[in-house]
Amino acid sequence: MPNAIIYTRVSTDEQASKGYSLPHQKNVLEMYCQHKGINILRHYREDFSAKNFNRPAFNELAAYIKVNRKSVDYLLFTRWDRFSRNQEEAYRIIREFRNLGVEVNAIEQPLDLSQPDSKVMLAVYLVIPEVENDKNSIRTKEGLRRAMKEGCFVGLAPRGYVNARNEEGKSTLAIKENVGSIIRKAFIDYSKGVLSSEEVRMKYFNRGLRVCKQTMLNILRNPVYCGKILIKEWKKEDEVIVEGIHPPIIDEETFDTVQRLISGKTIPKIHKYSEIDERLPLRGFLLCRKCGRSLTGSASRGGSGIRHFYYHCHPKCKERYKADEVNSLFEEVLSEFVIKGDVKKMYRNILDTTFHGERKNRELRVKQIKNEINKLSARMESVEDKFFDDLIDPSTYNSVKRKTQKKINDLKVELTSIKSLKKDIEDYLKIGISFLHGIDKLYKSSDARYKKKIVGSIFPEKLVFLKNRYRTENINEFISLIISKHKPFRRLEIKNPRQNDGESKKAPPQRLELWTL
Ligand SMILES: [Zn+2]
């Protein structure tokens, strides 16, 4: 009795059509073998495309044949397109197996491959399904485009929407209440031109819009949210946007503003810190001692071509100082800020406990996420098994697969964001620790942007440069609490020291921003 291996294959996109189902193929092959008196050694089933032979089950099959060549007589499948959709590759494998003494054949399209004519027939059998496939996809594509032009939404609903049908049974979208309103808020926030798309993303991440950077941009660019449908160019038709029959999440005007902002046409200028800022970090914090105007600063080129930097008043006032002198005196002032010993200790304790707890929570969450991902992947596998055993139907399978995949993706996004949070915390720690070593050292080692934050945090009022010292109205109340009073300021004159008792007429001082530098 000759021995055969039977091979059944179906790819995901073929699952819809009945004739291709795996149990059907298996059934036909079993009946054939029974009728012909062939013993079935093994059955390999594949859920992979036949573009080439690099498929999991086929690889196993080939390995089995190589080892057991003496006991295998046939490799059988129902039709040639189950075996391959690629002519050249098919010939190669047929030759290879023939050399091992194994005859390859399709029972519904049998060929005598020892006859030269069979090559022509084989080509026909392999090409027909290809042509058939192309025709189908064109027909589908044309149908889809017609539906889209009528305002239908085809495809998977974007975030904030769910797939739905209207009264006429046309496929469209319905707003998913909570996510939809978050997306509306995100559009409105971004349209104000203050936050970047990334800042908007961060803002709504923990409020339920868990998307990555690119997805956030895709959302902000997607005309579906203002009720439109984008039909991409195809063949000779240009790309076109039509009115959809689905409800918009955001009005057209806001959507257009957002598009202008994204394309950079009206993006608010983010101040770039240049050399002039680095050399004039106190610009904006100084008052003229003569006329009380705010000092500005600039550079002028000397005879030797070297640039000299100055803080100066209005041209009419003529008051101007060399930047280096002003800057170094300011650094001296900062060196007089000595942080109390017990404050240092306390601050370090706070940093330790805060971030230790934070780290523990984070590690726990990372573990949870990894567990959940494993569980979901296992569930996917078991659903796949059930599907191939015909225990569940394709639409259930697809919807479970989609939901599970989405959950896994969301978890992966969260995992990435936890990792980036870790980097932020490390930055805080670095700054916090250098803060303990002294404000002057922190200031000196910072760039202009941080320098300005430090100055603004310590001095709520502007400073007046008096050649050998600074005068100011006030210093930050919190700073005055944590600095040691044992060493009096020699380079700083505080004009109206804030009374600790009694109500202050001034607005509360700026919050110390060292934490958020
Ligand atoms: Zn002046």
Side-chain angles (χ1 to χ4, degrees), residues 75-140:
L75 167 61
L76 300 174
F77 30 87
T78 53
R79 295 155 176 248
W80 285 101
D81 64 346
R82 301 301 88 203
F83 177 63
S84 175
R85 286 196 189 276
N86 180 319
Q87 291 184 58
E88 277 156 48
E89 291 250 305
Y91 289 136
R92 184 173 62 78
I93 298 287
I94 290 169
R95 248 192 331 264
E96 236 174 67
F97 283 174
R98 193 191 294 150
N99 291 340
L100 294 169
V102 177
E103 190 193 314
V104 176
N105 225 327
I107 58 163
E108 291 177 10
Q109 300 163 328
L111 288 176
D112 180 358
L113 289 162
S114 59
Q115 299 296 313
D117 284 350
S118 67
K119 270 196 166 184
V120 180
M121 277 316 288
L122 180 60
V124 171
Y125 286 143
L126 291 178
V127 167
I128 285 176
E130 257 179 60
V131 174
E132 210 46 47
N133 257 8
D134 290 353
K135 265 201 211 153
N136 276 340
S137 85
I138 288 171
R139 241 176 265 139
T140 328

Side-chain angles (χ1 to χ4, degrees), residues 288 290-293 295 313-314 317 319:
C288 173
K290 281 191 183 156
C291 68
R293 282 196 189 96
L295 293 187
C313 191
H314 195 266
C317 172
E319 190 72 359

